Amino acid sequence: MEHFIAGLPKLELHLHIEGTLEPELMFALGQRNGVTLPWPDVASLRAAYEFDCLQSFLDLYYLGASVLVTEQDFFDLTWAYLERCAADKVVHVEIFFDPQTHTARGIAFETVLGGIERALQEAERVFGISWRLIMSFLRHLSEEAAFATLAEASPFISRIHGFGLDSSELGNPPGKFARVFARCRELGLPVVAHAGEEGPAAYIWQTIRELEVKRIDHGVRCSEDPELVSYLADTRLPLTVCPLSNVRLKVFDEMAHHNVLTLLEQGLCVTVNSDDPAYFGGYLTANFQALVQALGASREQLCRLCLNAVEASWLSLTDKVRLTRDIRQHAALHGVILH
Ligand code: ADE
Ligand code: ZN
């Protein structure tokens, strides 16, 4: 099975680039930039990765991101992630970045975008990995701050492929950003939002009705509303699910209780993703392996999850046809029958 997962062409649609900052790189960049971290070494930082909810993770995640200062830092961060993608046969990525985490510290928007984009372009050339870039708003900040960030981004909109919404979900319903997202859609770009990670099913409905999202990030709490599950199955509005993240942040108490395969069998367009892999104990391959170990996911189910990611991606039709063929070929090679 390990061999099967390793060779399966995989797509990642829910990945925060700041969440790929491994402790070793965090310390190296801290040293390079004269940023002092509140942990003495890598081992004690790793020991702090015990989260009891989303907020306890976010506090550490924003602190860690403070070592990112120069364009080269953002390049190095992104490049390290893309090297792993190449080794793990991740062939397409749609990456979130959080400009407000950096602009609030006086880092220019262009510095952040430039470094991430340069690594993506280089990885496309060297590894053949295709990509899209999603600029995400921090929902714990105000609507006004989001509008200001959108204005700051306006000279660079042609280099961005969509908009997202992340950070502390509880107490920050999607409707808070309805006007910002209306403006984003007017720019002609697709929008997505985190919803139903810690927040209730009502927040998922809000992203659909008030933000008009093209995908829902997480969305696992849809199970609490049968009408919503039917809607998602009928419309095939995709969910970008992150199993290891959900267990680490206590959305599910253990992987054996995760609902991703149930949702798959109910006909939803669910996909598997790694969210913040440096903090949650594994990249995309580890997420697939966890589904096999804890839930007994079959090879056929793993293939369908990848085919769903092709469907949910923002690739061109030509690329979707090519990747669908590649996944089906891999399945056939291993005697897996797909309907
Ligand atoms: N930012 C980074 N990871 C996140 C997550 N899992 N939920 C909300 N915001 C995030
Ligand atoms: Zn996320």
Side-chain angles (χ1 to χ4, degrees):
M1 185 56 106
E2 227 169 89
H3 174 67
F4 180 80
I5 294 171
L8 179 62
K10 294 173 283 293
L11 296 82
E12 175 122 89
L13 306 179
H14 182 160
L15 183 282
H16 304 266
I17 198 61
E18 294 90 346
T20 68
L21 181 55
E22 290 287 342
E24 291 78 9
L25 185 59
M26 193 192 292
F27 272 90
L29 295 181
Q31 205 151 45
R32 188 153 99 186
N33 295 315
V35 177
T36 310
L37 293 163
W39 306 275
D41 51 37
V42 165
S44 37
L45 170 58
R46 273 196 200 282
Y49 290 6
E50 282 293 333
F51 310 116
D52 45 28
C53 62
L54 174 59
Q55 192 60 50
S56 65
F57 154 69
L58 289 171
D59 293 343
L60 201 150
Y61 164 84
Y62 293 128
L63 235 163
S66 68
V67 302
L68 297 161
V69 178
T70 66
E71 195 258 9
Q72 188 64 41
D73 297 340
F74 288 96
F75 175 90
D76 291 346
L77 171 74
T78 310
W79 183 254
Y81 166 66
L82 291 165
E83 277 188 319
R84 279 187 182 260
C85 287
D88 291 348
K89 205 165 174 63
V90 176
V91 296
H92 176 72
V93 298
E94 301 190 1
I95 292 181
F96 292 117
F97 71 111
D98 289 336
Q100 288 161 299
T101 301
H102 314 296
T103 54
R105 299 180 288 119
I107 316 287
F109 188 94
E110 196 170 11
T111 301
V112 180
L113 176 62
I116 298 170
E117 187 186 52
R118 185 159 64 85
L120 287 163
Q121 287 167 342
E122 184 80 355
E124 183 159 30
R125 199 177 59 75
V126 177
F127 304 129
I129 296 171
S130 53
W131 56 276
R132 299 287 185 271
L133 205 42
I134 307 170
M135 173 183 142
S136 217
F137 297 102
L138 298 181
R139 70 199 311 158
H140 68 272
L141 300 178
S142 66
E143 180 196 41
E144 193 187 356
F147 270 121
T149 302
L150 186 55
E152 211 173 345
S154 64
F156 310 104
I157 291 298
S158 64
R159 294 158 62 183
I160 291 166
H161 305 97
F163 294 96
L165 183 66
D166 60 12
S167 195
S168 321
E169 186 180 10
L170 290 172
N172 294 297
K176 177 177 167 185
F177 296 93
R179 291 188 296 195
V180 177
F181 271 56
R183 181 79 199 101
C184 290
R185 295 194 312 272
E186 279 167 21
L187 293 170
L189 293 181
V191 301
V192 298
H194 283 53
E197 180 185 17
E198 282 191 341
Y203 280 20
I204 302 176
W205 279 121
Q206 269 187 39
T207 68
I208 297 167
R209 292 176 174 144
E210 297 184 39
L211 304 189
E212 300 181 28
V213 290
K214 295 291 186 208
R215 295 195 294 247
I216 294 154
D217 297 310
H218 295 294
V220 289
R221 286 193 59 190
C222 68
S223 297
E224 295 164 20
D225 181 341
E227 206 180 308
L228 178 55
V229 170
S230 297
Y231 176 90
L232 294 170
D234 290 348
T235 58
R236 298 280 295 167
L237 183 66
L239 305 188
T240 62
V241 177
C242 308
L244 284 174
S245 164
N246 292 155
V247 174
R248 284 301 184 103
L249 300 186
K250 310 275 196 279
V251 173
F252 294 92
D253 56 0
E254 56 177 307
M255 192 60 81
H257 295 154
H258 203 289
N259 63 357
V260 64
L261 294 186
T262 305
L263 296 174
L264 179 70
E265 296 311 326
Q266 286 174 316
L268 275 70
C269 185
V270 285
T271 67
V272 170
N273 307 273
S274 69
D275 207 6
D276 303 283
Y279 293 91
F280 299 148
Y283 288 75
L284 196 51
T285 298
N287 274 275
F288 279 107
Q289 280 165 352
L291 296 187
V292 173
Q293 278 150 19
L295 293 167
S298 68
R299 293 175 183 206
E300 189 245 351
Q301 286 175 317
L302 301 183
C303 290
R304 276 162 53 210
L305 289 163
C306 290
L307 289 169
N308 281 351
V310 174
E311 178 183 337
S313 77
W314 297 340
L315 281 164
S316 69
L317 191 54
T318 311
D319 286 334
K320 286 187 175 189
V321 169
R322 178 179 50 80
L323 283 183
T324 299
R325 185 202 57 204
D326 292 349
I327 293 165
R328 286 184 165 273
Q329 260 177 10
H330 181 77
L333 198 67
H334 290 264
V336 177
I337 296 162
L338 295 172
H339 301 290

